[in-house]
Amino acid sequence: MTTTATTMTGVLLPGNSTVEFREYPIPEPGYGQVLVEMKASSICGSDIRAIYREHLGKGPEGYQGVIAGHEPCGQIVKAGPGCKQFKAGDRVVIYHISGCGVCYECKHGYMISCRRNHRAAYGWQRDGGHAPYLLAEENTCVLLPNSLSYVDGALCACGFGTAYEALRRMEVNGQDRLLITGLGPVGLAAAMLGRELGVSTIIGTDISKSRMALASDLALVDHVLPADENALEQIMKLTGGWGCETSIECSAAASARLLALQGTRDWGRCAYVGEGGAVSFEVSKYLIHKQITLYGSWVTSLKHLEELVERLDRWRIHPDKTCTHRLPLEQAAEAYRLAAEGQTGKVCIVFE
Ligand SMILES: [Zn+2]
Ligand SMILES: [Zn+2]
């Protein structure tokens, strides 16, 4: 470690749309743990929905008053005893949930779905990435390829991982067109990854003019449509009256959830990843009679996070392209305010 400081400033979210700074001791890595110097720590829609505005989460989404930030990426400065793979100097993305490690889900790499009391997500039930250092379990670290930036890595920890998992589960490929409802950070991620997986036509919808403009400016989407009463007709027009073979719902709006199904071609696949809220629709008309396979998909697995960063390296693409705002930790209040407005691309706290 290059620092002689013993304390650090971390960010807490009291749940009233403010941020609070508090002093913490810099942690010491125990057995199988590493101390990671934070380089980038982005803000997720879930942070806004379940913690920043109000503490509405329960169980896996229950916020326990810890240092916020569940999309951490940095460089290991100290490895505790018993570490088997990582050492000081390694650049790592942190899979943001530490599971029990021995249940069915953990053994398959889906620590997100671990139901044991041992399960703790960084930034939710254990200290997260909005501080200069993060204490991480070695088995939640994934090596960041040299070609990827720390912001690239942070964006993979949750958002890009979530988009990748859903596209992978739908087995999106070159025979497919892709409809994306919601062009926030996860929707943009789906567009960027969908393209690399071979999708020929990408259609995106959103209600925010600035998000529509961003998707166009980044050239990630072939057609950007306002999510209004004409959207379905436009989607049909753009697809020869068929709809898209695959769709991914990233907004959590009930109307967008329905639009995703309506815009999916018969026998197509649709994935819901936008969190929260509810939806009701005519099941026979929109799901059964259309022969649609509907996937619910929650974050990703350790294995697929590792696979994702490897592929990003090979594809030579950079998630950080979707990051529109980078702010230092001292400006965390402004960072959260921007993210909560929902008009930007990804907002990321950076440390250098
Ligand atoms: Zn998240
Ligand atoms: Zn487990």
Side-chain angles (χ1 to χ4, degrees):
M1 280 173 69
T2 49
T3 178
T4 50
T6 55
T7 63
M8 61 178 189
T9 305
V11 167
L12 261 92
L13 301 174
N16 56 0
S17 296
T18 64
V19 309
E20 194 180 307
F21 294 93
R22 213 179 274 179
E23 284 299 299
Y24 295 86
I26 296 175
E28 190 61 30
Y31 191 89
Q33 296 180 323
V34 293
L35 185 66
V36 184
E37 184 180 0
M38 283 295 97
K39 302 286 190 184
S41 178
S42 41
I43 297 173
C44 173
S46 294
D47 293 320
I48 302 298
R49 176 179 56 83
I51 312 181
Y52 176 68
R53 293 199 181 112
E54 54 177 327
H55 295 172
L56 61 76
K58 300 263 186 306
E61 288 200 329
Y63 175 62
Q64 304 293 341
V66 296
I67 297 172
H70 70 264
E71 303 187 338
C73 187
Q75 187 169 32
I76 293 174
V77 286
K78 202 170 185 180
C83 284
K84 302 180 186 82
Q85 183 185 2
F86 291 110
K87 57 184 188 314
D90 288 342
R91 301 162 79 244
V92 289
V93 190
I94 291 137
Y95 178 83
H96 72 263
I97 307 98
S98 170
C100 74
V102 291
C103 72
Y104 180 87
E105 298 292 346
C106 284
K107 279 181 181 147
H108 288 76
Y110 286 89
M111 287 187 170
I112 180 75
S113 298
C114 175
R115 288 188 169 80
R116 289 248 166 84
N117 288 335
H118 306 77
R119 180 196 189 280
Y122 300 99
W124 298 83
Q125 296 92 29
R126 63 184 282 169
D127 288 334
H130 291 351
Y133 296 95
L134 170 75
L135 185 66
E137 303 302 317
E138 186 193 25
N139 69 0
T140 59
C141 293
V142 166
L143 194 67
L144 181 69
N146 283 331
S147 70
L148 299 183
S149 70
Y150 286 114
V151 175
D152 285 332
L155 270 50
C156 291
C158 179
F160 268 73
T162 296
Y164 183 64
E165 179 75 20
L167 296 177
R168 209 182 176 287
R169 206 170 298 181
M170 289 193 286
E171 296 181 16
V172 164
N173 66 72
Q175 302 175 85
D176 299 322
R177 290 167 288 193
L178 175 65
L179 168 64
I180 302 169
T181 56
L183 294 170
V186 176
L188 294 178
M192 195 185 261
L193 298 173
R195 185 75 75 201
E196 295 300 324
L197 291 167
V199 165
S200 58
T201 305
I202 302 177
I203 303 173
T205 68
D206 204 292
I207 52 167
S208 156
K209 286 213 163 58
S210 56
R211 284 193 158 167
M212 289 170 61
L214 179 64
S216 296
D217 292 349
L218 294 173
L220 292 173
V221 175
D222 299 303
H223 306 280
V224 183
L225 307 173
D228 59 19
E229 64 284 357
N230 299 317
L232 180 60
E233 196 186 322
Q234 294 298 317
I235 293 164
M236 289 303 164
K237 222 177 246 174
L238 290 166
T239 55
W242 296 108
C244 288
E245 288 71 25
T246 58
S247 61
I248 179 167
E249 204 302 296
C250 307
S251 76
S255 56
R257 284 173 173 159
L258 178 58
L259 180 63
L261 287 175
Q262 290 174 312
T264 301
R265 185 176 184 156
D266 288 7
W267 297 98
R269 298 95 76 203
C270 174
Y272 282 6
V273 299
E275 290 255 25
V279 63
S280 84
F281 54 80
E282 292 174 60
V283 174
S284 291
K285 185 173 176 185
Y286 296 117
L287 193 67
I288 297 175
H289 296 176
K290 292 189 70 174
Q291 310 274 18
I292 286 175
T293 304
L294 178 60
Y295 295 85
S297 188
W298 191 22
V299 191
T300 190
S301 65
L302 269 160
K303 174 183 167 179
H304 292 161
L305 176 59
E306 194 151 275
E307 187 180 280
L308 170 62
V309 295
E310 185 207 315
R311 289 194 175 177
L312 290 173
D313 176 48
R314 207 181 329 145
W315 291 335
R316 296 284 175 229
I317 58 168
H318 291 277
D320 65 12
K321 187 175 167 183
T322 65
C323 178
T324 51
H325 296 77
R326 296 164 198 231
L327 294 97
L329 189 68
E330 308 84 74
Q331 290 178 37
E334 174 64 3
Y336 270 89
R337 193 191 60 75
L338 279 165
E341 274 181 0
Q343 303 293 322
T344 65
K346 197 71 169 176
V347 179
C348 189
I349 290 175
V350 292
F351 294 81
E352 56 186 13

